[in-house]
Amino acid sequence: MAAELHLLGRAVKQTQYRQHRALDSRLAGVGTTLAQWDALRAISRSPGASARALAAATFQSEQAFGTLAGRLVTQGMVERRPGHGRRIEHHLTPLGEKTLKAGHQVAEEVLAECFAPLSEAERTTLLNLLRRLGDEAPDE
């Protein structure tokens, strides 16, 4: 049983690794990286969010997200604005919106390729199982 769990853990990690490599490679064609595109997605979902909230949403430390956000500001994709107290809010610029949209198109293609071997029913089952492991409630 323990060996099967190790194999399962490795298979999940291997699948994620292949997906991330494909995404990172193809996102370069639209001028971004997977980490940057993920940050743009998080900011788009929560305009005005703090670095702390965005770091949690992108599975990064606050320091790592701050460095990444700084690069996005330098590239003209993100704008930082003063918020309540010492809080700094993050917003997408028009260039950030354009890059995010281009990234969505790339991700749709890559993910379709990654999950092509699975039927629609298998993808639904996999999603439900992964959500259960991650304690996420399914979308209603």
Side-chain angles (χ1 to χ4, degrees), residues 52-65:
R52 173 176 284 171
L54 294 167
T58 57
F59 306 102
Q60 297 185 50
S61 69
E62 283 184 60
Q63 182 179 1
F65 185 84

Side-chain angles (χ1 to χ4, degrees), residues 14-87:
Q14 183 178 32
T15 300
Q16 179 189 35
Y17 177 73
R18 278 196 313 258
Q19 177 186 320
H20 283 190
R21 284 191 58 196
L23 280 166
D24 217 22
S25 173
R26 301 264 288 276
L27 285 167
V30 296
T32 193
T33 66
L34 178 56
Q36 290 173 344
W37 181 70
D38 194 36
L40 295 174
R41 281 191 312 172
I43 295 167
S44 176
R45 283 191 299 261
S46 301
S50 68
R52 173 176 284 171
L54 294 167
T58 57
F59 306 102
Q60 297 185 50
S61 69
E62 283 184 60
Q63 182 179 1
F65 185 84
T67 300
L68 176 59
R71 284 195 303 267
L72 292 169
V73 167
T74 299
Q75 294 173 359
M77 290 191 248
V78 169
E79 181 180 72
R80 289 177 169 158
R81 302 178 195 159
H84 294 60
R86 295 180 7 185
R87 179 181 157 145

